[in-house]
Amino acid sequence: MGCYCSKPEKTPGYEDPVVLAAETPFTVSEVEALYELFKKLSSSIYDDGLIHKEEFQLALFRNQNKKNLFADRIFDLFDVKRNGVIDFGEFVRSLGFFHPNAPVEDKIAFAFRLYDLRQTGFIEREELKEMVLALLHESDLLLSDDVVEAIVDKTFSDADKKGDGRIDQQEWKEYVLKHPTLIKNMTLPYLKDITLAFPSFVMSSEVED
Amino acid sequence: KPTSMNAFELISRSQSFNLENLFEK
């Protein structure tokens, strides 16, 4: 006979903060604080306890319809199960890469997956150009095609040490270690102590460290 | 000079990486 233990109702995809804290740079209290944030994000449009792409875009841009290549890629990487939504466990584990204390190797690998648009295991020249054009478009910057080609060529030849027309993970790692500012976008200082940055979340935190 | 820009540096400035926006109350 089974034993039914009554617990407060949690959203689908909810995971034990102790487990998530053990797997990520977050403390248990910080995971609890992230849950408060997650609840808010995941109920902004659809009240189903999961973050849909429109909810992600709404939080990021204050506009649920804003299309952006990089936001799409970040969402897709957060959506580990590839089911079109981000659950709580995916949210915490993915944000963990952006924690200041996350290993640099992990940040480098995450950035590689982000920029490997077609998931071929390589960053291709065409992908790099596509990302540069997307950035120029989102920033309302106009550069001639010749200038864009020159920027892409120069960067690509610096990173593609083997000269085979694609950047592999090893080349990417070496390139980033030489140019560490390239992964500054992989660190969110806010995550260092989210319970201090968002004290209101602590009020409803269930777990004390 | 634009041609001396690093393409990866450029794309890392996308506003999509402002994930702190997710934390705004």
Coordinates of all heavy atoms in Angstrom, one line a residue, chain A residues 14-80:
Chain A
Y14 N 9.0 21.2 -10.7 CA 9.6 21.7 -9.5 C 10.6 20.6 -9.0 O 10.3 19.4 -9.0 CB 8.6 22.0 -8.4 CG 9.2 22.5 -7.1 CD1 9.5 23.8 -6.9 CD2 9.4 21.6 -6.0 CE1 10.1 24.2 -5.7 CE2 10.0 22.0 -4.8 CZ 10.3 23.4 -4.7 OH 10.9 23.8 -3.5
E15 N 11.8 21.1 -8.5 CA 12.7 20.1 -8.0 C 13.2 20.6 -6.6 O 13.2 21.8 -6.3 CB 13.9 20.0 -8.9 CG 13.6 19.3 -10.2 CD 14.8 19.1 -11.1 OE1 15.8 18.6 -10.6 OE2 14.8 19.4 -12.3
D16 N 13.6 19.6 -5.8 CA 14.1 19.9 -4.5 C 15.2 20.9 -4.5 O 16.3 20.7 -5.1 CB 14.5 18.6 -3.8 CG 14.9 18.8 -2.4 OD1 15.0 19.9 -1.9 OD2 15.1 17.7 -1.7
P17 N 15.1 22.1 -3.8 CA 16.2 23.1 -3.8 C 17.5 22.5 -3.3 O 18.6 22.9 -3.7 CB 15.7 24.1 -2.8 CG 14.2 24.0 -2.9 CD 13.9 22.5 -3.1
V18 N 17.5 21.5 -2.4 CA 18.7 20.9 -1.9 C 19.5 20.2 -3.1 O 20.7 20.3 -3.2 CB 18.4 19.9 -0.8 CG1 19.7 19.2 -0.3 CG2 17.7 20.6 0.4
V19 N 18.7 19.5 -3.9 CA 19.3 18.8 -5.1 C 19.9 19.8 -6.0 O 21.0 19.7 -6.5 CB 18.2 17.9 -5.8 CG1 18.8 17.3 -7.1 CG2 17.8 16.8 -4.8
L20 N 19.1 20.9 -6.3 CA 19.5 21.9 -7.3 C 20.7 22.6 -6.8 O 21.7 23.0 -7.5 CB 18.4 22.8 -7.6 CG 17.3 22.3 -8.5 CD1 16.1 23.2 -8.5 CD2 17.8 21.9 -9.9
A21 N 20.8 22.9 -5.5 CA 21.9 23.6 -4.9 C 23.2 22.8 -5.0 O 24.3 23.3 -5.2 CB 21.6 24.0 -3.4
A22 N 23.0 21.5 -4.8 CA 24.2 20.6 -4.9 C 24.8 20.5 -6.3 O 25.9 20.3 -6.5 CB 23.8 19.2 -4.4
E23 N 23.9 20.8 -7.3 CA 24.4 20.7 -8.7 C 24.8 22.0 -9.3 O 25.3 22.0 -10.4 CB 23.2 20.1 -9.6 CG 22.9 18.7 -9.3 CD 21.8 18.2 -10.3 OE1 21.6 18.8 -11.3 OE2 21.1 17.3 -9.9
T24 N 24.6 23.1 -8.6 CA 24.8 24.4 -9.2 C 25.6 25.3 -8.2 O 25.8 24.8 -7.0 CB 23.5 25.1 -9.4 OG1 22.8 25.3 -8.2 CG2 22.6 24.3 -10.4
P25 N 26.0 26.4 -8.6 CA 26.8 27.3 -7.6 C 25.8 28.0 -6.6 O 26.3 28.7 -5.7 CB 27.4 28.4 -8.5 CG 27.3 27.8 -9.9 CD 26.1 27.0 -9.9
F26 N 24.5 27.8 -6.7 CA 23.6 28.4 -5.8 C 23.5 27.7 -4.4 O 23.6 26.5 -4.4 CB 22.2 28.5 -6.4 CG 22.1 29.3 -7.7 CD1 21.9 28.6 -8.9 CD2 22.2 30.6 -7.6 CE1 21.8 29.4 -10.1 CE2 22.2 31.4 -8.8 CZ 21.9 30.7 -10.0
T27 N 23.2 28.5 -3.4 CA 22.9 27.9 -2.1 C 21.4 27.5 -2.1 O 20.6 27.9 -3.0 CB 23.1 28.9 -0.9 OG1 22.2 30.0 -1.1 CG2 24.5 29.5 -0.9
V28 N 21.0 26.8 -1.1 CA 19.6 26.4 -1.0 C 18.7 27.6 -0.9 O 17.7 27.7 -1.6 CB 19.4 25.4 0.2 CG1 17.9 25.1 0.4 CG2 20.2 24.1 0.1
S29 N 19.1 28.6 -0.1 CA 18.3 29.8 0.0 C 18.2 30.5 -1.3 O 17.1 31.1 -1.6 CB 18.9 30.8 1.1 OG 18.8 30.2 2.3
E30 N 19.3 30.5 -2.0 CA 19.2 31.2 -3.3 C 18.3 30.5 -4.3 O 17.6 31.1 -5.1 CB 20.7 31.3 -3.9 CG 21.5 32.4 -3.2 CD 23.0 32.3 -3.4 OE1 23.4 31.3 -4.0 OE2 23.7 33.3 -3.0
V31 N 18.3 29.1 -4.3 CA 17.4 28.4 -5.1 C 16.0 28.7 -4.7 O 15.1 28.9 -5.6 CB 17.7 26.9 -5.0 CG1 16.6 26.1 -5.8 CG2 19.1 26.5 -5.6
E32 N 15.7 28.8 -3.4 CA 14.4 29.2 -3.0 C 14.0 30.6 -3.5 O 12.8 30.8 -3.9 CB 14.3 29.1 -1.5 CG 14.2 27.7 -0.9 CD 12.9 27.0 -1.1 OE1 11.9 27.7 -1.2 OE2 12.9 25.8 -1.2
A33 N 15.0 31.5 -3.4 CA 14.7 32.8 -3.9 C 14.4 32.8 -5.4 O 13.5 33.5 -5.9 CB 15.9 33.7 -3.6
L34 N 15.2 31.9 -6.1 CA 14.9 31.8 -7.6 C 13.6 31.2 -7.9 O 13.0 31.5 -8.9 CB 16.0 30.9 -8.2 CG 17.4 31.6 -8.4 CD1 18.4 30.5 -8.9 CD2 17.3 32.7 -9.4
Y35 N 13.1 30.4 -7.0 CA 11.7 29.9 -7.2 C 10.7 31.0 -7.1 O 9.7 30.9 -7.9 CB 11.4 28.8 -6.1 CG 10.1 28.1 -6.4 CD1 9.9 27.4 -7.6 CD2 9.1 28.1 -5.5 CE1 8.7 26.8 -7.9 CE2 7.9 27.5 -5.8 CZ 7.7 26.8 -7.0 OH 6.5 26.2 -7.2
E36 N 10.9 31.9 -6.2 CA 9.9 33.0 -6.2 C 9.9 33.8 -7.5 O 8.9 34.2 -8.0 CB 10.3 34.0 -5.0 CG 10.2 33.3 -3.7 CD 8.8 32.8 -3.4 OE1 7.8 33.5 -3.7 OE2 8.7 31.6 -2.9
L37 N 11.1 34.0 -8.0 CA 11.3 34.7 -9.3 C 10.6 33.9 -10.4 O 9.9 34.4 -11.3 CB 12.8 34.9 -9.6 CG 13.1 35.4 -11.0 CD1 12.6 36.8 -11.3 CD2 14.6 35.3 -11.3
F38 N 10.9 32.6 -10.4 CA 10.4 31.7 -11.4 C 8.9 31.7 -11.5 O 8.3 31.7 -12.5 CB 10.9 30.2 -11.2 CG 10.4 29.2 -12.2 CD1 11.1 29.1 -13.4 CD2 9.3 28.5 -11.9 CE1 10.6 28.2 -14.3 CE2 8.8 27.6 -12.8 CZ 9.4 27.4 -14.1
K39 N 8.3 31.7 -10.3 CA 6.8 31.7 -10.2 C 6.2 32.9 -10.9 O 5.2 32.9 -11.6 CB 6.3 31.7 -8.7 CG 6.4 30.3 -8.1 CD 5.6 30.2 -6.8 CE 6.2 31.0 -5.7 NZ 5.6 30.7 -4.4
K40 N 6.9 34.0 -10.7 CA 6.5 35.3 -11.3 C 6.6 35.2 -12.8 O 5.7 35.6 -13.5 CB 7.3 36.5 -10.7 CG 6.7 37.8 -11.0 CD 7.7 38.9 -10.5 CE 8.2 39.6 -11.7 NZ 9.2 40.6 -11.5
L41 N 7.8 34.8 -13.3 CA 8.0 34.7 -14.7 C 7.1 33.8 -15.4 O 6.6 34.0 -16.5 CB 9.5 34.3 -15.0 CG 10.6 35.3 -14.6 CD1 11.9 34.7 -14.8 CD2 10.4 36.6 -15.3
S42 N 6.8 32.6 -14.7 CA 6.1 31.5 -15.4 C 4.6 31.7 -15.3 O 3.8 30.9 -15.8 CB 6.5 30.2 -14.7 OG 6.1 30.2 -13.4
S43 N 4.2 32.8 -14.7 CA 2.7 33.1 -14.6 C 2.4 34.4 -15.3 O 1.2 34.9 -15.1 CB 2.2 33.0 -13.2 OG 2.8 34.0 -12.4
S44 N 3.3 35.0 -15.9 CA 3.1 36.3 -16.5 C 2.1 36.3 -17.6 O 1.4 37.3 -17.8 CB 4.4 37.0 -16.9 OG 5.0 36.3 -18.0
I45 N 2.0 35.3 -18.4 CA 1.0 35.2 -19.5 C 0.2 33.9 -19.3 O -1.1 34.0 -19.3 CB 1.7 35.1 -20.9 CG1 2.5 36.4 -21.1 CG2 0.7 35.0 -22.0 CD1 3.3 36.5 -22.4
Y46 N 0.8 32.8 -19.2 CA 0.1 31.5 -19.0 C 0.4 31.0 -17.6 O 1.5 30.9 -17.2 CB 0.6 30.4 -20.0 CG 0.7 30.9 -21.4 CD1 1.9 31.2 -22.0 CD2 -0.5 31.0 -22.2 CE1 1.9 31.6 -23.3 CE2 -0.4 31.4 -23.5 CZ 0.8 31.7 -24.1 OH 0.8 32.2 -25.4
D47 N -0.7 30.8 -16.8 CA -0.5 30.4 -15.4 C -0.3 28.9 -15.3 O -1.1 28.2 -14.7 CB -1.7 30.9 -14.6 CG -1.3 31.0 -13.1 OD1 -0.1 30.8 -12.8 OD2 -2.2 31.2 -12.3
D48 N 0.8 28.4 -15.8 CA 1.0 26.9 -15.8 C 2.3 26.5 -15.1 O 2.7 25.3 -15.2 CB 0.9 26.3 -17.2 CG 1.9 26.9 -18.1 OD1 2.7 27.7 -17.7 OD2 2.0 26.4 -19.3
G49 N 3.0 27.5 -14.5 CA 4.2 27.1 -13.8 C 5.4 26.7 -14.7 O 6.3 26.1 -14.3
L50 N 5.3 27.1 -16.0 CA 6.4 26.9 -16.9 C 6.6 28.2 -17.7 O 5.7 29.0 -17.9 CB 6.0 25.8 -17.9 CG 5.7 24.4 -17.4 CD1 4.9 23.6 -18.3 CD2 7.0 23.7 -17.0
I51 N 7.9 28.4 -18.0 CA 8.2 29.7 -18.8 C 8.1 29.4 -20.3 O 8.9 28.6 -20.8 CB 9.6 30.2 -18.4 CG1 9.7 30.6 -16.9 CG2 9.9 31.5 -19.2 CD1 11.0 31.0 -16.4
H52 N 7.1 30.1 -20.9 CA 7.0 30.0 -22.3 C 7.9 31.0 -23.0 O 8.3 32.0 -22.3 CB 5.5 30.2 -22.7 CG 4.6 29.1 -22.3 ND1 4.0 28.2 -23.1 CD2 4.3 28.8 -21.0 CE1 3.3 27.3 -22.4 NE2 3.4 27.7 -21.1
K53 N 8.1 30.9 -24.3 CA 9.0 31.8 -25.0 C 8.5 33.3 -24.9 O 9.3 34.2 -24.6 CB 9.3 31.4 -26.4 CG 10.3 32.3 -27.1 CD 10.7 31.8 -28.5 CE 11.7 30.7 -28.4 NZ 12.2 30.3 -29.8
E54 N 7.2 33.4 -25.0 CA 6.6 34.8 -24.9 C 6.9 35.4 -23.5 O 7.1 36.6 -23.4 CB 5.1 34.7 -25.2 CG 4.7 34.3 -26.6 CD 4.4 32.8 -26.6 OE1 5.2 32.0 -26.0 OE2 3.4 32.4 -27.1
E55 N 6.8 34.5 -22.5 CA 7.0 35.1 -21.1 C 8.5 35.4 -21.0 O 8.8 36.4 -20.3 CB 6.6 34.0 -20.1 CG 5.1 33.8 -20.1 CD 4.7 32.6 -19.2 OE1 5.4 31.6 -19.2 OE2 3.6 32.7 -18.6
F56 N 9.4 34.7 -21.6 CA 10.8 34.9 -21.5 C 11.1 36.3 -22.2 O 11.8 37.1 -21.7 CB 11.6 33.8 -22.2 CG 13.1 33.8 -22.0 CD1 13.6 33.5 -20.8 CD2 13.9 34.1 -23.0 CE1 15.0 33.5 -20.6 CE2 15.3 34.1 -22.9 CZ 15.8 33.8 -21.7
Q57 N 10.5 36.4 -23.4 CA 10.7 37.7 -24.2 C 10.1 38.9 -23.4 O 10.7 40.0 -23.4 CB 10.1 37.5 -25.6 CG 10.8 36.6 -26.5 CD 10.0 36.2 -27.7 OE1 8.8 36.4 -27.8 NE2 10.7 35.7 -28.7
L58 N 9.0 38.6 -22.8 CA 8.3 39.7 -22.1 C 9.2 40.2 -20.9 O 9.4 41.4 -20.7 CB 7.0 39.3 -21.5 CG 6.1 40.3 -20.8 CD1 5.7 41.4 -21.7 CD2 4.9 39.6 -20.2
A59 N 9.8 39.3 -20.2 CA 10.7 39.7 -19.1 C 11.9 40.3 -19.6 O 12.4 41.3 -19.0 CB 11.0 38.4 -18.2
L60 N 12.4 39.8 -20.7 CA 13.7 40.3 -21.2 C 13.6 41.7 -21.9 O 14.4 42.6 -21.7 CB 14.3 39.3 -22.2 CG 15.8 39.2 -22.4 CD1 16.5 39.0 -21.1 CD2 16.1 38.0 -23.3
F61 N 12.5 41.8 -22.6 CA 12.4 43.0 -23.5 C 11.2 43.9 -23.1 O 10.9 44.9 -23.8 CB 12.3 42.6 -24.9 CG 13.4 41.8 -25.5 CD1 13.2 40.6 -26.0 CD2 14.7 42.2 -25.4 CE1 14.2 39.8 -26.5 CE2 15.8 41.5 -25.9 CZ 15.5 40.2 -26.5
R62 N 10.4 43.5 -22.2 CA 9.1 44.1 -21.9 C 8.2 44.1 -23.1 O 7.3 44.9 -23.3 CB 9.3 45.6 -21.5 CG 10.2 45.8 -20.3 CD 9.5 45.4 -19.0 NE 10.3 45.4 -17.9 CZ 11.0 44.3 -17.4 NH1 10.9 43.2 -18.0 NH2 11.8 44.4 -16.4
N63 N 8.4 43.1 -23.9 CA 7.6 42.9 -25.2 C 7.6 41.4 -25.5 O 8.6 40.9 -25.8 CB 8.3 43.7 -26.3 CG 7.6 43.6 -27.6 OD1 6.7 42.8 -27.8 ND2 7.9 44.5 -28.5
Q64 N 6.4 40.8 -25.5 CA 6.4 39.4 -25.7 C 6.5 39.0 -27.2 O 6.7 37.8 -27.4 CB 5.0 38.9 -25.2 CG 3.8 39.3 -26.0 CD 2.5 38.8 -25.3 OE1 2.1 39.3 -24.3 NE2 1.9 37.8 -25.9
N65 N 6.5 40.0 -28.1 CA 6.5 39.6 -29.5 C 7.9 39.9 -30.1 O 8.0 39.8 -31.3 CB 5.4 40.3 -30.3 CG 4.1 39.8 -29.8 OD1 3.8 38.7 -29.6 ND2 3.2 40.8 -29.6
K66 N 8.8 40.4 -29.3 CA 10.1 40.9 -29.9 C 10.9 39.7 -30.3 O 11.3 38.9 -29.4 CB 10.8 41.7 -28.9 CG 12.1 42.4 -29.5 CD 12.7 43.3 -28.5 CE 14.1 43.7 -28.9 NZ 14.2 45.0 -29.6
K67 N 11.2 39.5 -31.6 CA 12.0 38.4 -32.1 C 13.5 38.8 -32.0 O 13.9 39.9 -32.4 CB 11.6 38.1 -33.5 CG 10.2 37.6 -33.7 CD 10.2 36.1 -33.4 CE 8.8 35.6 -33.3 NZ 8.5 34.7 -32.2
N68 N 14.3 37.9 -31.5 CA 15.7 38.2 -31.4 C 16.5 36.9 -31.4 O 16.2 35.9 -30.7 CB 16.0 38.9 -30.1 CG 17.5 39.3 -30.0 OD1 18.3 38.5 -29.7 ND2 17.8 40.6 -30.1
L69 N 17.4 36.8 -32.3 CA 18.2 35.5 -32.5 C 18.8 35.0 -31.2 O 18.7 33.9 -30.9 CB 19.3 35.8 -33.6 CG 20.3 34.7 -33.8 CD1 19.6 33.5 -34.5 CD2 21.4 35.1 -34.7
F70 N 19.4 36.0 -30.5 CA 20.2 35.6 -29.3 C 19.2 35.1 -28.2 O 19.5 34.2 -27.4 CB 21.1 36.7 -28.8 CG 22.1 37.1 -29.9 CD1 21.9 38.2 -30.6 CD2 23.1 36.2 -30.2 CE1 22.8 38.6 -31.6 CE2 24.0 36.6 -31.2 CZ 23.9 37.8 -31.9
A71 N 18.1 35.9 -28.1 CA 17.1 35.5 -27.0 C 16.5 34.1 -27.4 O 16.3 33.2 -26.5 CB 16.0 36.5 -27.0
D72 N 16.3 33.8 -28.7 CA 15.9 32.5 -29.1 C 16.9 31.4 -28.7 O 16.5 30.3 -28.2 CB 15.7 32.4 -30.6 CG 14.4 33.1 -31.0 OD1 13.6 33.4 -30.1 OD2 14.1 33.2 -32.2
R73 N 18.2 31.7 -28.9 CA 19.2 30.7 -28.6 C 19.3 30.5 -27.1 O 19.5 29.3 -26.7 CB 20.6 31.2 -29.2 CG 20.7 31.1 -30.6 CD 20.6 29.7 -31.2 NE 21.7 28.8 -30.7 CZ 21.5 27.5 -30.4 NH1 20.3 26.9 -30.5 NH2 22.4 26.8 -29.9
I74 N 19.2 31.5 -26.3 CA 19.3 31.4 -24.9 C 18.1 30.6 -24.4 O 18.2 29.6 -23.6 CB 19.3 32.8 -24.2 CG1 20.6 33.5 -24.5 CG2 19.2 32.6 -22.7 CD1 20.6 35.0 -24.1
F75 N 16.9 30.9 -24.9 CA 15.7 30.1 -24.5 C 15.9 28.6 -24.9 O 15.6 27.8 -24.1 CB 14.5 30.7 -25.2 CG 13.2 30.0 -24.8 CD1 12.5 30.5 -23.7 CD2 12.7 28.9 -25.4 CE1 11.3 29.9 -23.3 CE2 11.6 28.2 -25.0 CZ 10.9 28.8 -23.9
D76 N 16.4 28.4 -26.1 CA 16.5 27.0 -26.5 C 17.5 26.2 -25.7 O 17.4 25.0 -25.4 CB 17.0 26.9 -28.0 CG 15.9 27.3 -29.0 OD1 14.7 27.4 -28.5 OD2 16.2 27.6 -30.1
L77 N 18.6 26.9 -25.2 CA 19.6 26.2 -24.4 C 19.0 26.0 -23.0 O 19.3 25.0 -22.3 CB 20.9 27.0 -24.3 CG 21.8 27.0 -25.5 CD1 23.2 27.5 -25.2 CD2 22.0 25.6 -26.0
F78 N 18.2 27.0 -22.5 CA 17.6 26.8 -21.2 C 16.6 25.6 -21.2 O 16.4 24.9 -20.3 CB 16.8 28.0 -20.7 CG 17.7 29.1 -20.0 CD1 18.9 29.5 -20.5 CD2 17.2 29.7 -18.8 CE1 19.7 30.4 -19.9 CE2 18.0 30.6 -18.2 CZ 19.2 31.0 -18.7
D79 N 15.9 25.5 -22.4 CA 14.9 24.4 -22.6 C 15.6 23.1 -22.9 O 15.6 22.6 -24.0 CB 14.0 24.8 -23.8 CG 13.0 23.8 -24.2 OD1 12.8 22.8 -23.4 OD2 12.5 23.9 -25.3
V80 N 16.2 22.5 -21.9 CA 17.1 21.4 -22.1 C 16.3 20.2 -22.7 O 16.8 19.5 -23.5 CB 17.8 21.0 -20.7 CG1 18.6 19.7 -20.9 CG2 18.6 22.1 -20.2

